[in-house]
Amino acid sequence: MANNQIITITDLHLYYGKVEALKGINMSIARNEVTSFIGPSGCGKSTLLRCINRMNDLIDNCVVQGNIYINGIHGLDGNIYDKNVDINALRKHIGMVFQKPNVFPMSIYDNIAFGPRTHGVKKRSDLDIIVEDSLKKAGIWNETKDNLKKSAVSLSGGQQQRICIARALAVQPKVLLMDEPTSALDPLSTATIEELCENLKEQYTIVIVTHNMQQATRISDKTAFFLLGEILEFGTTEQVFQTPRNIQCENYITGRFG
Amino acid sequence: MTIQQNTTSKFIHVRERVIKYSLFSSAMFSVIALFAIVVFLLSRGIPAISQVGLWKFLFGTDWNPNASTPVYGIFPMILGSIYVTGLATIISLIFGLFIAIFLYKFCPKKFRSTIEQVINLLAAVPSIVYGLFGIMIVVPVLREIAPNFVGHGILASSIILSIMVLPTIVSISLSALRSVPRELYEGALALGATREQSVFKVIFPAARSGVYTAIILSIGRAIGETMAVIMVIGGSPQMPTSLFQSIDTLTALIARSAREESGFLVEVLIAVGVVLLFFALILNYILMKIKERKVAHNYKIQLKKNNEKANRSTIVGLTKFIIIVQEYWKIFWQTIGKSIKFVLTKPIYYFAYLLKITRLSLLWYKFWAWIDTWWSVHNRQTIKYKILKWWTYIASTCGVLMLLAILYFIISGGLPYLSWEFIFGKYTLDNPTLMPAIVGTLIVVGIALVIAIPIGVACAIFLSEYARQARGVKYLRLAIDSLAAIPSIVYGLFGFIVFVGIFGWDYSLIAGGLALSIMTLPTVIRITEESLLAVHHTYREASRALGASKVRTTFRIVLPSSLSGIGNAMIQTIGRAISESAVLILTIGMVVGVMPSNILSPGTTLSLNIYYFGNTLYPDQAAATGVVLLILVLILNLGLSLIVKLLSKKQGK
């Protein structure tokens, strides 16, 4: 059982200046499952997500206390907030997809190849394989294979978001963090990306922040409900949505607040 | 296909640090430069001042260094500088603010970009060309008008300077106007205000802090301007008493004398430079305070809210004072305005009434009654703003005509003398050519680029990527802003003291290039940083989330996205280096007739040649050189817009 947990978070506090945004989070995330974070805006979902690959380090006056342990990723096992952790290697293994598609202003090929190149892949043939593979996994190979040299900025929003997923996959992460990846997209693109999550589950561990409760029920195995920087309910999606133990969680799910 | 793991991580770590510290040291360069300028100027200027005596120096009304007992009182020059700057700023405000309003609201769409480009072109015209325009056109015309047949002096300088600072006022006020939320305008319209009323009573007051910035910046520019002034000011150190009288300003005094004199006078001139530096730093301080206050649109409300805090700060006290003056002015104006209306209309009204009583002219009465109703229907406000609106049209037309006039007179004056032989021929006394100047310009511009661009870009990267919130950055920014505020003649003095004097390079191209590179550094930093900050932060996040290091993110993602900004910075540097003459006149020596053989030899540049030709027996050659310079500047501006277009296309937008 313990071996199945890829990420274990213990007593995590986070402060933006003097504001305590996360108030003692304890949770573990299982390998090859989709875990979704739900809750009203400003409750700390995205903040916690960004702790897992230490993206919060980029934000000024943000202080993190507590531990996040990684289990079963070669070279990274242990607390990611230890002093001598190689942050870039951490982020290589724990990829991230953002709320708004943020493709670089370069060609599609260069976008996907940016990550591998960063980590030392130089041979053109290797890169070609990685690019094709990632685009296929992200389900956008057929749309783009004929014009990989085209600027990625010219694609539609849904396509751009899948390019971003492909770009994250190209560095072969073990965990994929998704921060409301479909909130800026139309229903069709959303469906494509949800389908994608289902398929990716076999190889990756996915943590997804979403405001869309149907989406959480459709794609996730486990669900965590956040309120004001705390986790009030965490369990299998089925249990959380059908027999919530926490009254606020029930109110939120049934739409009585939030 | 597998990605290798962590073998290079240590190397990356070291590289990361090395690059961070080299960026930091480039950033520190500007602090050191500012420090050096202040120290060297003070160390030479203070002893001179103490020898003359501070009071005698600042407020002495006699300047006669050649007398048997030399006297060094610079009060006439201080007054000259202040008068010229003040008058120029006022003229330029009367036109510039209204041109900005015109471009903001009243200008037909199809003319807008053209007029904006014309204004930008005015900004790109080298100051020396303005000076040339001054001696070719303005001074002769004023000589005809002047009661004492003297064209040189305050009025001529102010006119030239006001054209020079016009683009500054227009562009800064325009961007301030454009940053006012549209809702304000719509809100005013929804209350039934006319278009003019909304613009003049709502939008314009909301953009006030931008206008203050524009005023301070243009004062700074006007007080520091040397070469345009030196050609039309006349140059006799008398107390200014009339608009038409040969006087002198601080900058012109330095530029004219420092090169030719030696001994104690040079020390005194450096002391004059200290005075200028002091002026510039004070202006910069005021500017900084204005920027800090920029958030609040309404000073009055803000003052009431932070009353306690407000009392502590002197600058707020100043603002308060300004507001009080404004209020009094308003009351004063209202009463005066009313009495004017009374004085103008009532007597006639009564007169008509009298006529009516005498039953002689019912018609008269009817006429004045009609005038009276008309006056109250179209109330004074509406008419006032209608008039202001028409003034915006007139001011803009004047601005455009002014540029056309400058272009026309310079080109028509110079074109006949422009020939292959004049530009590329061998220099002789009978046929002075531009060849030495062209070579000199290229070398000086090259040195300035090679030094200013790498250091400036590195500093900008440090500021935008590494030091957004760090504690000391405030002072770094202060140093850069202060560097930007220092008049070019002070850079010239610095180069003169350090590179020419202490380093022993004598007048040389390298001394000029180095002084110029320090001068253009703040511009490079500002433009590059702006373009770096324009790169959306999601790019940085995405790259970091892929595990790319900070250095890789910066150089592979952020920098390529802001290439157009760096291109812009390069062209601006070239433009300033080509047009600058006040720095160079004190550092490269203005040796017009000899080809420079290496970077240590003295030389000249195109803009210095204009000054030289204009002052000696070659006025036609001066105009011809002006044409060459103008064409170069035009090409550069075209190149700039082309680069921006190409790069934005390449990024797929």
Side-chain angles (χ1 to χ4, degrees):
Chain A
M1 180 63 197
N3 260 344
N4 197 25
Q5 310 299 342
I6 188 163
I7 296 166
T8 312
I9 304 169
T10 59
D11 196 28
L12 190 84
H13 293 262
L14 183 139
Y15 303 86
Y16 289 124
K18 280 177 186 164
V19 183
E20 189 173 16
L22 293 178
K23 305 167 181 169
I25 302 289
N26 288 293
M27 78 184 302
S28 35
I29 290 164
R31 199 183 307 275
N32 294 353
E33 277 188 358
V34 178
T35 306
S36 63
F37 291 176
I38 60 170
S41 299
C43 65
K45 314 177 295 281
S46 297
T47 306
L48 180 63
L49 194 75
R50 292 166 62 96
C51 281
I52 299 176
N53 67 347
R54 291 189 64 172
M55 284 304 280
N56 281 333
D57 292 13
L58 300 188
I59 297 173
D60 301 310
N61 72 43
C62 167
V63 180
V64 182
Q65 289 167 359
N67 305 313
I68 297 180
Y69 295 101
I70 300 283
N71 175 24
I73 297 179
H74 177 71
L76 270 178
D77 288 356
N79 184 1
I80 63 167
Y81 278 99
D82 270 350
K83 246 191 177 164
N84 48 8
V85 166
D86 181 352
I87 299 179
N88 297 329
L90 169 78
R91 293 192 184 129
K92 168 181 169 322
H93 288 292
I94 303 181
M96 189 162 200
V97 177
F98 296 85
Q99 185 171 0
K100 278 194 189 139
N102 52 0
V103 292
F104 299 135
M106 334 167 159
S107 72
I108 296 172
Y109 185 95
D110 287 336
N111 258 284
I112 311 294
F114 179 79
R117 278 178 180 148
T118 299
H119 298 289
V121 180
K122 289 211 176 74
K123 262 174 80 178
R124 184 79 189 188
S125 55
D126 288 350
L127 282 173
D128 286 344
I129 295 170
I130 293 176
V131 169
E132 183 178 342
D133 195 45
S134 317
L135 285 171
K136 272 181 181 161
K137 275 185 190 161
I140 196 175
W141 173 246
N142 286 332
E143 292 153 72
T144 55
K145 65 183 174 196
D146 297 326
N147 40 17
L148 289 173
K149 286 275 162 286
K150 211 170 110 181
S151 168
V153 185
S154 61
L155 297 173
S156 75
Q159 286 174 322
Q160 283 191 21
Q161 191 63 304
R162 276 180 285 156
I163 293 285
C164 289
I165 294 176
R167 189 176 64 188
L169 295 179
V171 289
Q172 301 171 345
K174 298 285 185 302
V175 181
L176 200 56
L177 308 174
M178 295 176 143
D179 189 358
E180 298 181 41
T182 60
S183 69
L185 303 182
D186 65 288
L188 266 177
S189 313
T190 305
T192 326
I193 285 175
E194 284 181 9
E195 212 173 296
L196 199 62
C197 288
E198 282 295 309
N199 302 333
L200 293 176
K201 200 164 85 173
E202 288 158 23
Q203 292 176 47
Y204 305 92
T205 306
I206 295 177
V207 185
I208 183 168
V209 168
T210 178
H211 271 293
N212 182 336
M213 260 146 331
Q214 283 75 36
Q215 186 171 61
T217 51
R218 279 196 298 266
I219 61 174
S220 65
D221 303 298
K222 296 258 176 64
T223 298
F225 171 72
F226 284 69
L227 190 68
L228 299 173
E230 287 175 288
I231 295 185
L232 295 186
E233 178 110 31
F234 180 42
T236 62
T237 303
E238 217 168 294
Q239 178 257 312
V240 170
F241 277 90
Q242 284 169 8
T243 55
R245 291 179 209 123
N246 185 296
I247 180 73
Q248 276 163 318
C249 179
E250 188 181 343
N251 286 346
Y252 182 73
I253 287 166
T254 51
R256 258 170 265 166
F257 91 100
Chain B
M1 189 189 129
T2 46
I3 294 170
Q4 65 198 87
Q5 291 229 345
N6 294 355
T7 47
T8 50
S9 115
K10 198 149 228 167
F11 165 70
I12 286 176
H13 195 65
V14 172
R15 187 185 67 178
E16 201 89 349
R17 284 202 138 171
V18 168
I19 289 182
K20 183 178 171 179
Y21 286 116
S22 50
L23 290 175
F24 174 73
S25 45
S26 317
M28 288 313 288
F29 185 86
S30 38
V31 178
I32 297 167
L34 179 69
F35 194 68
I37 289 174
V38 172
V39 164
F40 280 111
L41 251 68
L42 286 184
S43 70
R44 295 280 291 273
I46 297 264
I49 293 179
S50 63
Q51 194 167 335
V52 178
L54 181 64
W55 184 263
K56 265 190 183 165
F57 177 66
L58 285 181
F59 297 105
T61 52
D62 278 325
W63 172 269
N64 195 355
N66 297 328
S68 52
T69 47
V71 271
Y72 303 100
I74 60 165
F75 195 59
M77 275 63 90
I78 293 182
L79 272 189
S81 278
I82 290 175
Y83 286 166
V84 168
T85 304
L87 193 56
T89 312
I90 289 168
I91 297 177
S92 168
L93 275 178
I94 291 172
F95 286 88
L97 289 183
F98 289 92
I99 295 179
I101 292 173
F102 178 71
L103 287 173
Y104 173 67
K105 210 77 220 183
F106 303 123
C107 181
K109 249 188 195 141
K110 50 185 170 181
F111 297 130
R112 191 176 292 160
S113 67
T114 322
I115 296 180
E116 266 182 62
Q117 272 164 7
V118 165
I119 302 290
N120 287 340
L121 266 185
L122 274 175
V125 172
S127 60
I128 194 88
V129 173
Y130 283 113
L132 187 62
F133 176 70
I135 50 167
M136 282 170 66
I137 308 298
V138 178
V139 171
V141 169
L142 286 182
R143 195 176 290 141
E144 297 299 313
I145 303 170
N148 54 353
F149 309 107
V150 174
H152 295 276
I154 294 181
L155 191 59
S157 313
S158 307
I159 290 173
I160 293 300
L161 277 182
S162 65
I163 306 172
M164 277 188 64
V165 297
L166 193 70
T168 316
I169 289 195
V170 172
S171 61
I172 294 175
S173 322
L174 190 59
S175 62
L177 285 170
R178 285 191 175 146
S179 65
V180 173
R182 236 193 109 69
E183 290 78 18
L184 281 186
Y185 177 67
E186 284 165 0
L189 283 188
L191 288 172
T194 61
R195 228 157 71 103
E196 297 88 46
Q197 280 174 324
S198 326
V199 170
F200 285 106
K201 288 206 90 166
V202 178
I203 304 290
F204 189 64
R208 204 163 39 173
S209 72
V211 174
Y212 290 155
T213 312
I215 295 173
I216 300 286
L217 275 180
S218 51
I219 290 177
R221 188 141 185 232
I223 210 165
E225 178 50 42
T226 311
M227 299 311 279
V229 173
I230 201 175
M231 295 173 92
V232 292
I233 192 74
S236 21
Q238 306 170 16
M239 287 295 276
T241 51
S242 132
L243 289 176
F244 307 99
Q245 170 204 15
S246 167
I247 57 153
D248 216 351
T249 65
L250 295 171
T251 49
L253 177 73
I254 299 174
R256 188 177 308 106
S257 316
R259 230 167 43 81
E260 292 154 7
E261 304 292 342
S262 59
F264 185 63
L265 181 55
V266 173
E267 308 298 315
V268 176
L269 290 173
I270 292 171
V272 177
V274 172
V275 175
L276 264 179
L277 184 69
F278 196 63
F279 269 123
L281 294 183
I282 288 177
L283 283 176
N284 188 42
Y285 179 77
I286 296 175
L287 193 65
M288 214 175 64
K289 288 294 165 187
I290 290 178
K291 274 183 188 160
E292 275 173 20
R293 301 247 126 214
K294 212 170 190 172
V295 195
H297 282 313
N298 194 336
Y299 287 116
K300 268 183 256 178
I301 290 173
Q302 230 230 339
L303 280 179
K304 268 177 202 158
K305 271 184 189 165
N306 315 336
N307 224 346
E308 280 177 28
K309 219 197 242 171
N311 284 337
R312 268 180 244 140
S313 142
T314 50
I315 191 74
V316 180
L318 200 72
T319 342
K320 223 174 185 175
F321 176 71
I322 292 171
I323 289 164
I324 292 169
V325 170
Q326 269 178 357
E327 290 298 315
Y328 276 106
W329 176 253
K330 226 186 247 167
I331 294 164
F332 174 71
W333 186 247
Q334 270 170 5
T335 45
I336 287 286
K338 271 187 187 141
S339 54
I340 286 176
K341 186 189 164 190
F342 182 80
V343 165
L344 282 182
T345 57
K346 290 296 164 168
I348 304 170
Y349 189 88
Y350 289 135
F351 180 62
Y353 188 68
L354 272 176
L355 286 180
K356 187 205 157 203
I357 289 173
T358 53
R359 296 162 185 254
L360 273 172
S361 108
L362 198 60
L363 204 68
W364 265 102
Y365 171 73
K366 270 194 173 165
F367 176 67
W368 286 109
W370 180 78
I371 292 279
D372 205 51
T373 38
W374 185 84
W375 184 261
S376 54
V377 170
H378 301 78
N379 64 58
R380 210 157 53 92
Q381 295 286 310
T382 328
I383 294 170
K384 187 169 114 194
Y385 294 122
K386 280 249 164 67
I387 294 169
L388 285 179
K389 178 185 153 188
W390 283 106
W391 177 247
T392 69
Y393 283 83
I394 297 166
S396 310
T397 320
C398 289
V400 173
L401 285 181
M402 211 62 203
L403 178 84
L404 290 181
I406 291 172
L407 291 183
Y408 173 77
F409 284 116
I410 300 286
I411 289 174
S412 69
L415 215 51
Y417 300 93
L418 208 57
S419 65
W420 183 263
E421 185 56 24
F422 172 65
I423 299 177
F424 298 108
K426 192 166 162 40
Y427 190 99
T428 60
L429 274 184
D430 303 326
N431 177 29
T433 68
L434 291 183
M435 206 48 204
I438 289 173
V439 175
T441 308
L442 283 178
I443 294 175
V444 168
V445 169
I447 294 171
L449 270 186
V450 164
I451 292 169
I453 291 290
I455 293 180
V457 171
C459 179
I461 291 175
F462 180 79
L463 279 174
S464 82
E465 307 298 316
Y466 284 87
R468 282 191 176 166
Q469 294 275 313
R471 223 173 296 154
V473 174
K474 215 173 102 187
Y475 302 103
L476 182 54
R477 275 183 203 283
L478 181 66
I480 294 166
D481 284 351
S482 310
L483 274 186
I486 294 176
S488 58
I489 189 76
V490 174
Y491 284 101
L493 271 180
F494 174 71
F496 180 73
I497 299 172
V498 176
F499 304 130
V500 176
I502 295 175
F503 287 11
W505 287 336
D506 225 339
Y507 290 123
S508 58
L509 294 173
I510 177 109
L514 284 178
L516 209 56
S517 64
I518 300 174
M519 193 190 84
T520 50
L521 198 60
T523 320
V524 177
I525 294 173
R526 186 179 50 78
I527 298 174
T528 314
E529 197 195 351
E530 264 167 25
S531 69
L532 287 174
L533 290 178
V535 176
H536 208 266
H537 73 275
T538 53
Y539 289 166
R540 297 185 180 88
E541 275 194 332
S543 168
R544 295 303 295 279
L546 289 169
S549 65
K550 190 157 202 165
V551 167
R552 191 173 159 85
T553 305
T554 304
F555 285 93
R556 284 295 151 86
I557 301 293
V558 180
L559 215 51
S561 306
S562 61
L563 269 185
S564 66
I566 295 169
N568 186 349
M570 276 181 77
I571 293 213
Q572 298 263 12
T573 312
I574 299 174
R576 280 197 78 175
I578 286 183
S579 353
E580 186 51 52
S581 35
V583 170
L584 299 176
I585 197 170
L586 295 182
T587 48
I588 72 173
M590 204 160 72
V591 176
V592 180
V594 185
M595 277 296 261
S597 55
N598 58 42
I599 55 171
L600 278 171
S601 50
T604 181
T605 65
L606 289 172
S607 46
L608 274 186
N609 263 26
I610 295 181
Y611 177 63
Y612 177 80
F613 287 151
N615 261 8
T616 47
L617 298 169
Y618 310 113
D620 305 324
Q621 277 81 352
T625 318
V627 176
V628 174
L629 202 54
L630 272 180
I631 290 171
L632 270 179
V633 167
L634 289 181
I635 291 174
L636 275 178
N637 267 285
L638 276 180
L640 178 64
S641 50
L642 219 67
I643 282 186
V644 172
K645 250 184 211 160
L646 273 181
L647 282 172
S648 56
K649 217 182 230 169
K650 206 179 162 194
Q651 283 168 21
K653 282 185 183 157

